[in-house]
Protein backbone atom coordinates (compact mmCIF):
# COMPACT_ATOMS: atom_id res chain seq x y z
CA UNK A 1 0.00 0.00 0.00
CA UNK A 2 1.45 3.37 -0.94
CA UNK A 3 2.00 5.84 1.85
CA UNK A 4 0.39 9.23 1.74
CA UNK A 5 2.66 12.27 1.64
CA UNK A 6 1.39 13.59 4.97
CA UNK A 7 1.56 10.27 6.84
CA UNK A 8 4.29 9.99 9.46
CA UNK A 9 6.02 6.71 10.23
CA UNK A 10 4.51 5.24 13.39
CA UNK A 11 6.52 2.02 13.63
CA UNK A 12 8.91 -0.25 11.77
CA UNK A 13 8.46 -3.96 12.46
CA UNK A 14 10.64 -6.88 11.34
CA UNK A 15 8.85 -10.24 11.17
CA UNK A 16 9.18 -13.63 9.46
CA UNK A 17 6.37 -15.59 7.84
CA UNK A 18 6.05 -18.70 5.73
CA UNK A 19 5.80 -17.58 2.11
CA UNK A 20 2.18 -17.23 1.04
CA UNK A 21 0.89 -18.15 4.50
CA UNK A 22 0.72 -14.95 6.55
CA UNK A 23 -2.27 -14.76 8.91
CA UNK A 24 -3.54 -12.05 11.25
CA UNK A 25 -2.14 -12.51 14.74
CA UNK A 26 -0.49 -10.85 17.73
CA UNK A 27 2.76 -10.10 15.88
CA UNK A 28 0.89 -8.13 13.22
CA UNK A 29 -1.42 -6.54 15.76
CA UNK A 30 1.59 -4.86 17.38
CA UNK A 31 2.35 -3.16 14.06
CA UNK A 32 -0.98 -1.33 14.13
CA UNK A 33 -1.88 -1.97 10.48
CA UNK A 34 -4.85 -3.39 8.62
CA UNK A 35 -3.95 -7.07 9.13
CA UNK A 36 -6.18 -8.70 6.47
CA UNK A 37 -4.98 -6.21 3.86
CA UNK A 38 -1.32 -6.88 4.74
CA UNK A 39 -1.82 -10.66 4.72
CA UNK A 40 -3.42 -10.56 1.27
CA UNK A 41 -0.66 -8.32 -0.14
CA UNK A 42 2.14 -10.39 1.47
CA UNK A 43 0.69 -13.73 0.37
CA UNK A 44 0.29 -12.46 -3.20
CA UNK A 45 3.86 -11.14 -3.24
CA UNK A 46 5.36 -14.41 -1.93
CA UNK A 47 3.20 -17.07 -3.57
CA UNK A 48 6.11 -18.12 -5.83
CA UNK A 49 8.33 -18.84 -2.78
CA UNK A 50 6.04 -21.39 -1.04
CA UNK A 51 7.76 -23.40 1.68
CA UNK A 52 10.39 -20.75 2.42
CA UNK A 53 10.60 -18.46 5.42
CA UNK A 54 10.39 -14.85 4.25
CA UNK A 55 11.63 -12.03 6.50
CA UNK A 56 9.63 -8.85 5.98
CA UNK A 57 10.17 -5.25 7.12
CA UNK A 58 6.85 -3.47 7.62
CA UNK A 59 6.73 0.31 7.83
CA UNK A 60 3.49 1.33 9.53
CA UNK A 61 2.22 4.90 9.24
CA UNK A 62 0.02 6.87 11.64
CA UNK A 63 -2.94 6.74 9.25
CA UNK A 64 -2.86 2.87 9.41
CA UNK A 65 -1.37 2.57 5.93
CA UNK A 66 1.80 0.53 5.45
CA UNK A 67 4.64 -0.44 3.15
CA UNK A 68 6.56 -3.68 3.32
CA UNK A 69 9.79 -5.07 1.88
CA UNK A 70 10.38 -8.82 1.54
CA UNK A 71 13.93 -9.99 2.18
CA UNK A 72 15.66 -13.18 1.06
CA UNK A 73 15.24 -16.43 2.99
CA UNK A 74 17.67 -16.69 5.96
CA UNK A 75 20.99 -18.34 5.10
CA UNK A 76 20.56 -20.89 7.89
CA UNK A 77 17.35 -22.22 6.30
CA UNK A 78 18.97 -22.39 2.85
CA UNK A 79 22.03 -24.18 4.25
CA UNK A 80 19.92 -26.76 6.10
CA UNK A 81 17.91 -27.42 2.94
CA UNK A 82 21.07 -27.76 0.82
CA UNK A 83 22.69 -30.11 3.36
CA UNK A 84 19.49 -32.14 3.71
CA UNK A 85 19.32 -31.80 7.49
CA UNK A 86 16.50 -30.85 9.86
CA UNK A 87 18.62 -29.33 12.63
CA UNK A 88 22.04 -27.74 12.78
CA UNK A 89 24.74 -28.93 15.17
CA UNK A 90 24.78 -27.36 18.63
CA UNK A 91 28.54 -27.79 18.66
CA UNK A 92 30.63 -26.30 15.85
CA UNK A 93 33.07 -29.23 16.01
CA UNK A 94 30.34 -31.77 15.32
CA UNK A 95 29.56 -32.06 11.59
CA UNK A 96 25.79 -32.01 11.01
CA UNK A 97 25.95 -32.05 7.21
CA UNK A 98 27.98 -31.20 4.13
CA UNK A 99 27.43 -28.97 1.11
CA UNK A 100 29.51 -28.39 -2.02
CA UNK A 101 31.23 -25.20 -3.10
CA UNK A 102 28.70 -24.91 -5.96
CA UNK A 103 25.80 -25.05 -3.49
CA UNK A 104 27.54 -22.40 -1.38
CA UNK A 105 27.95 -20.16 -4.43
CA UNK A 106 24.28 -20.60 -5.37
CA UNK A 107 23.16 -19.61 -1.86
CA UNK A 108 25.57 -16.65 -1.80
CA UNK A 109 24.28 -15.37 -5.16
CA UNK A 110 20.67 -15.62 -3.90
CA UNK A 111 21.53 -13.82 -0.63
CA UNK A 112 23.64 -11.11 -2.32
CA UNK A 113 20.99 -8.30 -2.09
CA UNK A 114 20.77 -8.69 1.70
CA UNK A 115 24.46 -9.22 2.48
CA UNK A 116 27.11 -6.63 3.15
CA UNK A 117 29.44 -7.92 0.44
CA UNK A 118 30.95 -6.29 -2.65
CA UNK A 119 31.16 -9.45 -4.74
CA UNK A 120 30.05 -13.09 -4.81
CA UNK A 121 33.35 -14.25 -3.29
CA UNK A 122 32.75 -12.05 -0.23
CA UNK A 123 29.18 -13.28 0.02
CA UNK A 124 30.45 -16.87 -0.14
CA UNK A 125 32.77 -16.19 2.81
CA UNK A 126 29.88 -14.77 4.83
CA UNK A 127 27.62 -17.74 4.09
CA UNK A 128 30.50 -20.18 4.73
CA UNK A 129 30.92 -18.62 8.19
CA UNK A 130 27.24 -19.23 8.89
CA UNK A 131 27.64 -22.83 7.72
CA UNK A 132 30.68 -23.32 9.95
CA UNK A 133 28.76 -22.03 12.98
CA UNK A 134 25.96 -24.48 12.20
CA UNK A 135 28.31 -27.46 11.93
CA UNK A 136 27.91 -27.72 8.15
CA UNK A 137 31.09 -28.52 6.24
CA UNK A 138 31.67 -26.86 2.85
CA UNK A 139 33.65 -29.19 0.57
CA UNK A 140 36.30 -27.48 -1.54
CA UNK A 141 36.10 -24.08 0.20
CA UNK A 142 38.59 -22.83 2.76
Amino acid sequence: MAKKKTAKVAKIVKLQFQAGMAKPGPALASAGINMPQFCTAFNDATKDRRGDIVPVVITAYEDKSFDFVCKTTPAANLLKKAAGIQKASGDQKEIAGTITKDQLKEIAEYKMPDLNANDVEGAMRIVAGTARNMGIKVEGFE
Side-chain angles (χ1 to χ4, degrees):
M1 184 173 185
K3 67 180 180 211
K4 299 186 176 46
K5 292 180 182 171
T6 59
K8 289 176 61 178
V9 174
K11 191 182 278 191
I12 296 176
V13 182
K14 295 179 183 180
L15 300 171
Q16 291 185 359
F17 295 105
Q18 283 275 67
M21 299 179 70
K23 294 181 242 172
L28 277 176
S30 69
I33 60 173
N34 182 335
M35 291 186 282
Q37 188 177 15
F38 168 78
C39 291
T40 302
F42 177 83
N43 292 341
D44 288 344
T46 60
K47 64 183 169 214
D48 59 330
R49 294 169 62 181
R50 285 247 186 235
D52 288 347
I53 300 290
V54 180
V56 62
V57 179
I58 305 167
T59 305
Y61 300 98
E62 289 178 345
D63 64 354
K64 304 290 183 196
S65 63
F66 62 89
D67 287 328
F68 68 93
V69 177
C70 295
K71 301 289 187 177
T72 57
T73 303
N77 293 32
L78 297 171
L79 288 165
K80 286 192 286 189
K81 188 185 285 187
I85 59 175
Q86 293 292 320
K87 189 176 176 192
S89 172
D91 181 11
Q92 294 178 9
K93 294 174 186 148
E94 185 180 316
I95 302 298
T98 307
I99 64 170
T100 65
K101 186 176 178 180
D102 291 338
Q103 288 173 309
L104 177 70
K105 184 174 182 179
E106 188 178 310
I107 293 168
E109 287 171 346
Y110 173 76
K111 290 290 297 173
M112 203 52 193
D114 290 344
L115 293 176
N116 187 16
N118 294 327
D119 56 8
V120 175
E121 194 65 34
M124 287 174 67
R125 284 193 297 274
I126 292 169
V127 176
T130 303
R132 191 172 26 256
N133 286 334
M134 296 173 63
I136 296 174
K137 184 179 179 199
V138 181
E139 293 178 342
F141 189 80
E142 295 302 319

